[in-house]
Amino acid sequence: MKLYLEFKSKFLSGKVSFTVLATILSFHILLISCKGSQETKKLEKKVIIWGTAISGFQADMGPGVPSDKRSDWWVWMHDEENQISKRVGEDKPEDGPAFWKNYKQDLELAKQIGTNYFRYSIEWSRVFPESTTDIPADIEFTEDGFPKKIRISHSSISELEKRANQENMKKYREILEYAKKLGLKIFLTLNHFTLPIWIHDPISCRDWFKSGKSGSICFGKPAGWLSKETIIEFAKYSAFLAHKFGDIVDLWGPINEPIVVSTAGYLVGDVGVFAGSGAFPPSAFDVFSFELATKNLVFAFARSYDAIKEYDIYDADGDGQKSLISLIYNISFFEPDSQSEEDIEATEKAWFVQVFWFLDAILKGVLRSLDGKSEKFYDSLKSRADVVGINYYNRIKIKYLPIVPEKSIVFLPKFPACPSYEPSDECPYGMSDMDWEIYPPGIYEVIKVVWERYRGLELPIIISENGIADAKDLKRTDFIREHVKFVKKAVDEGIPVLGYFYWSLIDNLEWNSGYGKKFGLIEVDFSSQERKRTLRESAFVFKDIIMDELGEK
């Protein structure tokens, strides 16, 4: 308490930054000196957060669970044309592991594994199956038309309460409270790819793009991340969830992998169909829309940050801090496929478009044009994250291909990533069942890149996802050991990596790739009506790692 009061006083007097205070209070980092002091800041060299993760759409549904038919991904996966064209796989979300029903067993197993955190995502369409666009908000716009302030009044929160699906809200509270009862803290994601159908009509938008964009956008139907209205509605949704669950949750993640949403939905079109991984809604190949969607996602993240900070008024875990808000950002380790000037240039562009473009906006307030030729500073974007969450899975070797060179799109991942699934000279760790190269040193390299670029901001890092599709559970043990080893290497060098989340706790729907891609520490028997659970051998290895790191053996 004495330490807390001392730093609180310094924070209020302006002698120490908010992010430093938040880091101290929330994660118990040992701070020897205040910001600006000439003394060296020392960090406890230990990963203290160990968790697993799932997402609602991928895991909630299954036998005995009400289907969420108000989601754009539900509509997308059941569309006949998409099925014929192979944009979607044969597996469907309603045949899932039924976490909604089996959450007690799953959370008890998560605790048995030794984890102390659980990352879960709320489905916007379950909270608000019907539109909230008529509920007022006070909005200020930038000179170029982006929402820079969105004020949601308490009366609007009351209206949102009336509009919310009370049965689903009750279920979410049951899940979160049971996790808390078990001693699992919550890392809550507000948006994991899916949107309510009243926000995004994926079929109308798909057909609009296929028509050559004739007529009004998406034929006047809900346009998802192409519409600035989505930013406003997402801020309302964020404020409402912070108001409802702030007494349980202190660690929040507004949007999971935003650059995947814009890239897969608006830049690569149906390319994934030819690779066997299907297509994300609305499967467009349109660089202008990709840029617009990405910028809207940037502002949506920032306005969600503001809303959570305002409406989470509780210190759920009693550490002196009401909320910490984390990026959840996928970063592969990009390397040139060769040492040619073209491949090196293409790799630099990949880092910019896929990583720095978004992160620079949220962390530094600098939003560049896609071609990189212009930039603008927005105070309403700067410092809108307290933690940098990294989702790391693989190394990607980049080849030069001038797809849209005037917009910096000159890069293409090498495919296939490796000559075989087994280790080779080219790929010393082999490939996963997802055809992704396994490359543990890359997690260290990615952490270093992020830390060096943003180290002046003093933000802690969390590995918010790291996992492998491995149906036979033959590679997962070494995968976890090796990745944790390289995370610890970064920690030993003084980089504040405070947590590691394995993806995923249970086998679930890997989007268009279906249930055949097994990421779970817990095996789910999809042939059984009850969806029988069994801990895989790798789960016990993960437990040993956690116990060893926390000194609880």
Side-chain angles (χ1 to χ4, degrees):
M1 179 57 71
K2 182 179 178 182
L3 180 65
Y4 162 61
L5 293 174
E6 178 183 345
F7 277 99
K8 180 179 180 182
S9 173
K10 291 182 179 181
F11 169 63
L12 293 174
S13 66
K15 293 180 181 178
V16 68
S17 70
F18 168 80
T19 49
V20 172
L21 181 71
T23 302
I24 297 161
L25 298 177
S26 298
F27 298 114
H28 315 293
I29 294 179
L30 181 59
L31 188 64
I32 302 303
S33 62
C34 295
K35 186 178 179 183
S37 168
Q38 297 303 310
E39 299 178 46
T40 303
K41 187 185 301 177
K42 297 180 181 179
L43 302 173
E44 184 181 3
K45 293 183 177 181
K46 190 175 184 180
V47 179
I48 60 176
I49 293 173
W50 294 92
T52 57
I54 63 171
S55 89
F57 186 84
Q58 293 175 270
D60 281 346
M61 287 181 270
V65 176
S67 293
D68 181 13
K69 298 182 180 181
R70 298 292 292 167
S71 158
D72 63 343
W73 264 91
W74 171 279
V75 172
W76 184 254
M77 297 191 84
H78 290 83
D79 179 74
E80 185 177 1
E81 182 181 324
N82 283 342
Q83 294 179 57
I84 292 170
S85 66
K86 304 297 183 183
R87 290 191 187 97
V88 299
E90 294 181 1
D91 292 343
K92 297 293 178 279
E94 61 266 33
D95 299 318
F99 173 79
W100 195 258
K101 183 178 70 173
N102 298 312
Y103 70 88
K104 288 186 177 181
Q105 180 186 6
D106 291 337
L107 292 173
E108 287 164 6
L109 288 171
K111 186 65 177 177
Q112 183 181 331
I113 291 169
T115 57
N116 53 24
Y117 260 80
F118 175 61
R119 184 178 153 222
Y120 181 51
S121 72
I122 302 288
E123 286 296 294
W124 190 353
S125 49
R126 283 199 187 271
V127 176
F128 294 117
E130 304 300 330
S131 174
T132 58
T133 55
D134 61 313
I135 296 175
D138 183 19
I139 307 156
E140 292 182 34
F141 292 93
T142 63
E143 61 185 17
D144 46 357
F146 292 101
K148 67 177 181 180
K149 287 185 179 179
I150 302 175
R151 299 180 185 88
I152 298 112
S153 68
H154 289 282
S155 62
S156 288
I157 292 291
S158 296
E159 289 301 312
L160 289 166
E161 178 80 61
K162 296 174 186 175
R163 195 71 52 88
N165 184 298
Q166 297 303 319
E167 185 177 347
N168 289 341
M169 289 298 293
K170 180 181 178 183
K171 173 62 76 170
Y172 279 129
R173 177 160 283 276
E174 285 177 7
I175 293 169
L176 299 180
E177 286 187 341
Y178 195 73
K180 183 177 181 179
K181 178 182 176 182
L182 293 174
L184 294 169
K185 295 183 180 181
I186 301 295
F187 183 3
L188 194 64
T189 308
L190 304 191
N191 179 257
H192 195 122
F193 293 172
T194 62
L195 293 171
I197 195 67
W198 55 268
I199 284 285
H200 183 215
D201 181 339
I203 307 307
S204 293
C205 289
R206 177 201 68 194
D207 294 346
W208 180 70
F209 280 109
K210 303 303 179 189
S211 74
K213 301 196 294 185
S214 61
S216 60
I217 185 169
C218 296
F219 304 121
K221 299 296 179 63
W225 291 115
L226 296 182
S227 171
K228 290 183 175 61
E229 189 173 83
T230 302
I231 303 171
I232 299 166
E233 297 309 308
F234 189 63
K236 295 178 192 175
Y237 166 67
S238 300
F240 180 70
L241 290 189
H243 168 71
K244 294 297 291 184
F245 298 135
D247 61 320
I248 308 176
V249 179
D250 277 350
L251 183 56
W252 303 82
I255 303 173
N256 177 77
E257 299 185 343
I259 202 67
V260 168
V261 175
S262 57
T263 300
Y266 299 97
L267 184 60
V268 302
D270 284 342
V271 170
V273 174
F274 304 106
S277 57
F280 271 47
S283 69
F285 174 61
D286 187 87
V287 175
F288 171 81
S289 297
F290 166 62
E291 182 167 13
L292 175 60
T294 303
K295 289 182 176 180
N296 284 341
L297 281 156
V298 165
F299 276 89
F301 187 99
R303 299 293 72 81
S304 176
Y305 178 98
D306 294 345
I308 295 168
K309 288 295 181 185
E310 180 177 1
Y311 274 97
D312 181 358
I313 62 173
Y314 300 98
D315 176 9
D317 54 16
D319 62 4
Q321 179 61 39
K322 295 174 184 175
S323 64
L324 283 177
I325 299 171
S326 180
L327 285 155
I328 304 173
Y329 204 88
N330 59 296
I331 308 179
S332 297
F333 180 46
F334 296 116
E335 280 194 322
D337 185 51
S338 74
Q339 290 304 304
S340 69
E341 290 184 10
E342 290 85 359
D343 283 358
I344 292 172
E345 176 195 355
T347 303
E348 291 173 353
K349 295 294 186 183
W351 276 104
F352 165 66
V353 173
Q354 292 293 297
V355 183
F356 303 140
W357 186 27
F358 197 99
L359 296 193
D360 283 359
I362 290 298
L363 300 179
K364 296 182 176 181
V366 177
L367 183 56
R368 294 175 177 84
S369 58
L370 180 55
D371 59 17
K373 294 179 181 178
S374 65
E375 65 180 47
K376 187 171 181 177
F377 173 78
Y378 296 86
D379 189 59
S380 60
L381 294 179
K382 183 182 178 183
S383 300
R384 281 341 195 257
D386 307 318
V387 182
V388 179
I390 297 172
N391 292 1
Y392 175 81
Y393 286 93
N394 59 338
R395 174 170 67 171
I396 296 179
K397 294 180 180 178
I398 297 294
K399 301 175 74 70
Y400 175 81
L401 185 68
I403 303 168
V404 189
E406 67 275 14
K407 287 288 189 178
S408 298
I409 309 301
V410 296
F411 53 89
L412 191 71
K414 181 180 180 180
F415 185 82
C418 300
S420 73
Y421 289 95
E422 299 308 313
S424 63
D425 290 342
E426 188 175 342
C427 297
Y429 298 88
M431 280 197 304
S432 73
D433 293 351
M434 289 292 292
D435 296 338
W436 297 344
E437 183 186 0
I438 302 167
Y439 192 67
I443 199 169
Y444 165 77
E445 298 296 340
V446 162
I447 290 168
K448 275 207 313 180
V449 167
V450 170
W451 177 247
E452 289 300 327
R453 189 174 182 93
Y454 305 108
R455 87 182 294 161
L457 302 177
E458 302 174 317
L459 296 178
I461 293 169
I462 287 176
I463 302 303
S464 41
E465 284 182 27
N466 177 237
I468 181 173
D470 179 22
K472 296 180 180 179
D473 201 37
L474 298 176
K475 299 180 179 180
R476 188 174 287 107
T477 292
D478 286 341
F479 179 96
I480 295 172
R481 282 180 176 146
E482 287 297 302
H483 281 83
V484 169
K485 180 181 79 175
F486 281 102
V487 169
K488 289 174 62 180
K489 175 177 169 64
V491 172
D492 289 342
E493 293 178 7
I495 301 175
V497 185
L498 304 174
Y500 175 94
F501 287 79
Y502 179 82
W503 180 275
S504 63
L505 175 63
I506 59 177
D507 291 336
N508 56 30
L509 180 70
E510 187 50 37
W511 305 102
N512 294 318
S513 297
Y515 297 109
K517 307 302 182 183
K518 311 289 188 181
F519 280 87
L521 292 168
I522 299 171
E523 179 182 4
V524 177
D525 180 1
F526 289 97
S527 68
S528 66
Q529 185 68 15
E530 67 275 15
R531 298 300 191 255
K532 181 183 176 183
R533 268 73 164 155
T534 305
L535 283 170
R536 289 191 165 102
E537 190 63 34
S538 53
F540 297 100
V541 172
F542 189 43
K543 178 178 182 177
D544 287 343
I545 291 170
I546 295 170
M547 295 300 99
D548 185 56
E549 289 301 307
L550 294 179
E552 296 180 4
K553 271 195 169 183

